[in-house]
Amino acid sequence: MTKEEFEIFSGKVRKDLIAIAGRIDLGAGQPIEAEDIVQDALVRLWELYAQGYPVNDAKALAIKITKNFCASLYRKSKREAIPLGANDKSGGESASDVAETKDNQWIKETLYSHLTPARRKCMILRNDFGMSLDEIAETTGHPKESVKVLISTARKQMLEEIKELL
């Protein structure tokens, strides 16, 4: 599919995908908009095309990706029941908490940057989006066993890098 064909396709299915993504209720204070979910889903679909993934029904795949993103965001929102700083009497985050969060983010980005694109994608889908192995396999187009190996190998590689730094 060419870029122009994809733009036409995405324009046709955007309303349907927004309707699907609009059904997700993450609760108060969640800034995720249906348009953001749809944009992420369409980007993922374009990546699949770019990687040569065989797509028989683009609309069905776009709907499935959108639903998977919604399910992942819903599960992630349920895990984040206690916000940072909840135990802080002032109601905000302390400077050390902010610094620790930034340090952890930097470490994660640094470790992820040394992974192959396939390993990085699997780790992000697993850790940041909370997807199951089946969902990752469906989203990436890799077999479930390959996803397990990619995640396992990525974890081993990151552990080795941490050991070298220490």
Side-chain angles (χ1 to χ4, degrees):
M1 179 178 285
T2 66
K3 184 177 179 181
E4 292 78 22
E5 291 172 333
F6 186 79
E7 287 176 5
I8 293 169
F9 165 77
S10 63
K12 290 180 182 177
V13 298
R14 185 174 293 275
K15 287 182 183 179
D16 293 336
L17 298 178
I18 289 174
I20 291 167
R23 295 183 201 145
I24 187 171
D25 180 19
L26 299 178
Q30 294 294 332
I32 302 295
E33 297 287 332
E35 182 65 36
D36 294 335
I37 295 170
V38 170
Q39 187 67 27
D40 288 343
L42 290 172
V43 166
R44 179 64 194 128
L45 182 62
W46 177 251
E47 288 173 351
L48 290 173
Y49 273 115
Q51 294 170 358
Y53 183 79
V55 178
N56 296 329
D57 187 352
K59 184 175 181 180
L61 183 57
I63 289 171
K64 188 65 170 175
I65 292 170
T66 302
K67 287 180 178 181
N68 284 343
F69 276 134
C70 290
S72 295
L73 289 169
Y74 179 78
R75 282 194 307 276
K76 187 175 180 181
S77 73
K78 294 303 177 191
R79 284 194 306 253
E80 296 173 355
I82 302 174
L84 287 175
N87 295 329
D88 187 1
K89 291 181 174 48
S90 66
E93 292 182 81
S94 68
S96 63
D97 288 341
V98 171
E100 185 175 344
T101 301
K102 286 182 181 178
D103 288 346
N104 288 341
Q105 185 64 29
W106 178 83
I107 290 168
K108 182 171 128 183
E109 288 172 2
T110 302
L111 291 172
Y112 278 10
S113 70
H114 296 133
L115 297 174
T116 64
R119 290 178 187 165
R120 183 180 317 119
K121 186 168 290 187
C122 288
M123 290 297 292
I124 289 170
L125 292 174
R126 181 70 167 181
N127 295 334
D128 296 350
F129 291 101
M131 287 186 167
S132 70
L133 293 175
D134 291 327
E135 291 170 331
I136 295 170
E138 189 172 317
T139 302
T140 62
H142 296 298
K144 183 177 176 180
E145 291 302 316
S146 296
V147 170
K148 283 182 184 180
V149 170
L150 287 168
I151 291 173
S152 176
T153 307
R155 287 179 176 160
K156 288 176 185 175
Q157 180 182 340
M158 292 189 312
L159 182 60
E160 288 301 316
E161 288 184 33
I162 291 170
K163 286 179 181 178
E164 286 177 18
L165 292 173
L166 297 176

